[in-house]
Amino acid sequence: MPSSQRLQAIESIQNRPAAAAVAPESLNELWARDVFTLAAMKAALPKPIFRSIQATIRHGGKLDLSVADVVAQAMKDWAISRGANYYAHVFYPLTNLSAEKHDGFISPQGDGQVIAEFSGKLLVQGEPDGSSFPNGGIRSTFEARGYTAWDVTSPAYLMETPNGVTLCIPTVFVSWTGEALDKKTPLLRSNAAMNRQAQRLLRLLGNTEIAPVNSSCGAEQEYFLVDSAFVALRPDLQLAGRSLFGAPPAKGQQFDDHYFGAIPERVQVFMQDVERQLYKLGIPAKTRHNEVAPGQFEIAPFHEAANVATDHQQLTMTVLKSTAKRHGFTCLLHEKPFAGVNGSGKHVNWSVGNATQGNLLDPGKTPHDNLQFLLFCAAVIRGVHRFGPLMRAVIATASNDHRLGANEAPPAIISVYLGSQLEAVFQQILNGDLVGSPEAGVLSLGVDTLPDLTKDPGDRNRTSPFAFTGNRFEFRAVGSGQSVAGPLVALNTILADSIQWIADELERELQSESRLEVASLKVLRRTMELHGAVIFGGDGYSSAWHRMAVEERGLENLPTSAEALPVLQRPEIRELMERQGVLSPLELESRFSVYAEQYILAIEVEARLVLRMVRTQIYPAVSSYLSRLIKSLQAQQGLGLSPDTSVATTIGALSNTMLTQTAALENALQDESHDTNAHLRHGAHTLLPLMQAVRGTVDSLEGLVDDGSWPLPTYQEMLFMR
Ligand code: ADP
Ligand code: MG
């Protein structure tokens, strides 16, 4: 029988009233109801103003203050008509979370009355201070001011609580000297860089009308739901988002019976609540299903422009967490909340395209389209080969480290999976089997008849960190709790850089070879010769690949964040980011120091939790059970029986080991190294293994100690009871 506090939790779950039903509403009624959409703006704004803002959205640039004033007025009127008294500048600091600065519209008048006020200046410029956001030393606190400014490409929306409505304005967050303090600014810059280079290549390929090229993103979000009654008894889940102890349950995910199984009703009610809110916010939620691990689920939206998709992804995480609370769940976005069952990722589906040429990563119907596709695809291949370590660095967090390479998630070696058909095409290019036909001026073999590469479920590789899926790439190694901004910045930037290289090469070839197809094939072949080593279609989990990747292909294996984060300090990354105008050396360095600090803090918090939980919960439970056990053994001996004392002996020995291991962890925690890189390694290679050792012992004890004494909800309870 479980301990009394666990029993109480179980009873409260069994007696939990169902969440209040909401009258169903149609998609039409819900869709973007709480968004100040382009259509809403069109209705509210004078024509020239609307046209001006539309142009800013399409081509970027600053909003004129006179335009901003009119827009602000309309936005305020709309928000007030919906019950808002406050507005908030929402921004995205380097913490992976969203931050908000709220202000009232209220403006007291001399006569004791108040009016609601909101100007263009307040729309395009807020001053959140924000001196305590991690900024990696860009600003020292005495010049702590930073300001936020509306990102016109992302619409304003309303956030509702039972007690009121707030107008939310998505913003960039920069210092007074112009440095990016957030994740949105580099994303916008990386998109602009990619657009610049894509325009150039498209022009070289003979296109005359070329609309702005934008990146798109659809992010599949995995998450766990655990009943809050259990979480209340687990300090580790509360503070670290993952269980630091817990013996594997007798039944785990071996049966694969949860994956795509019927969604439990309580969970489905939760999901429908989430989707309803997302629809009101104009977020196109599209799929929901059970994931592999018990208690694990997924939500995926229809893809959108990367910048908007990123804001929407942040909102989705916020809505998941807040809605879970109302349904008596805790939504865990940690990448590895439970050992021994699958962790959670966030597959970032990414493509680039525009209104005139369409999706540039979609093989087309004509030879010309296919040539264009192959060149853009080759640019991706080169980018991943040149800058794979950067892709590893932008997914490096303390939590994601537990998932990568654990035989359930992509390895920490970054390679590209193309699928057998496309891989064969590139192989032919490399072998010189695919050549431009001089007579016809078109391509022979393959390219004019590119096989249908649309996504084929039989041809997917789940062991690859980065896979082509028919008309986009899927970055599968991204962590479930992460902002998708960092990965998208990396992808856009390495693509920009590689398109630039390809365009340079193509221009050079075209000086001596007038036929575009022939020149292009030469460039494609050179790209494959230099960078084809990054293409891998086999089993990414196998140890043979780990060896081959490093020894034969020269790819890097960066197993933990301690190896991956310092990539941000490499000269070639500094040059890449500066050359493409995405991050200055100072901005890049500040990111390294913030992410390194977060990594170290996360591990130190966990280490302290281990000490606290062992000393105040686990040791007391173990020793009180042990003394009861010993008493009973003594009583039996008193009766002349000779009872088996082996369990008591084992528990006693394990308990001693646990205390010794805990002391070692405490010692190591005090040993603070001052050099950041050494500090990272200390976390990864000293603290984590020591924590793991304590855990091993505690989990053994869990299997021996009376269930009625065990203070922590078990894996069985947390994963299976809801
Ligand atoms: P799977 O689980 O098979 O990968 P899903 O349907 O769950 O597929 O998710 C696919 C994701 O890819 C969705 O979020 C979808 O919007 C996104 N996606 C589809 N096409 C594109 C594209 N061209 N660019 C970016 N994302 C895309
Ligand atoms: Mg999926």
Side-chain angles (χ1 to χ4, degrees), residues 19 50-51 94-95 134 157 197 253 273 295 298 304 343 370 462 488 491 525 559 693 701 709-710:
F50 177 70
R51 253 185 259 124
L94 300 179
T95 51
Y157 56 91
Q197 301 304 332
Q253 62 186 39
D273 194 346
E298 176 178 305
E304 302 178 274
N370 282 334
R462 303 211 157 267
L488 289 169
L491 294 176
R525 189 171 181 188
L701 281 166
S709 309
W710 199 253

Side-chain angles (χ1 to χ4, degrees), residues 38 146 188 219 240 278 310 354 470 482 523 615 638 654:
L38 218 52
L188 295 171
L278 295 183
T310 303
N354 67 4
Q482 256 191 280
V523 174
R615 287 171 181 166
L654 283 170

Side-chain angles (χ1 to χ4, degrees), residues 215-221 259-260 284 286-289 291 298-304 347-352 359 361-362 455 457 460 462 469-474 476:
S215 47
S216 297
C217 164
E220 304 163 53
Q221 172 77 56
Y259 194 41
F260 280 100
K286 177 93 173 100
T287 51
R288 56 161 108 114
H289 57 80
E291 261 300 329
E298 176 178 305
I299 180 169
F302 201 81
H303 61 285
E304 302 178 274
H347 299 173
V348 171
N349 293 271
W350 164 81
S351 63
V352 296
N359 179 355
L361 293 174
D362 200 349
K455 121 175 167 179
R460 306 198 70 186
R462 303 211 157 267
T469 51
N471 61 1
R472 62 186 186 270
F473 282 88
E474 184 175 12
R476 311 184 66 249

Side-chain angles (χ1 to χ4, degrees), residues 64-78:
D64 189 78
L65 205 56
S66 62
V67 173
D69 268 330
V70 185
V71 177
Q73 189 68 34
M75 201 185 270
K76 181 200 74 183
D77 291 346
W78 171 77

Side-chain angles (χ1 to χ4, degrees), residues 470-516:
N471 61 1
R472 62 186 186 270
F473 282 88
E474 184 175 12
F475 194 1
R476 311 184 66 249
V478 180
S480 51
Q482 256 191 280
S483 158
V484 296
L488 289 169
V489 167
L491 294 176
N492 285 338
T493 308
I494 65 179
L495 181 61
D497 193 71
S498 288
I499 299 176
Q500 182 170 26
W501 181 81
I502 283 192
D504 286 347
E505 292 287 302
L506 190 56
E507 258 175 11
R508 210 156 46 80
E509 289 297 340
L510 285 170
Q511 284 168 7
S512 56
E513 168 58 71
S514 59
R515 288 160 305 179
L516 182 65

Side-chain angles (χ1 to χ4, degrees), residues 298-344:
E298 176 178 305
I299 180 169
F302 201 81
H303 61 285
E304 302 178 274
N307 168 39
V308 176
T310 303
D311 291 358
H312 282 172
Q313 221 291 306
Q314 292 295 119
L315 265 174
T316 302
M317 291 198 284
T318 306
V319 169
L320 280 170
K321 281 193 266 188
S322 61
T323 309
K325 240 180 227 163
R326 277 190 281 110
H327 288 251
F329 285 125
T330 297
C331 176
L332 299 174
L333 296 176
H334 192 286
E335 285 78 1
K336 194 73 180 175
F338 302 101
V341 297
N342 266 26
S344 299

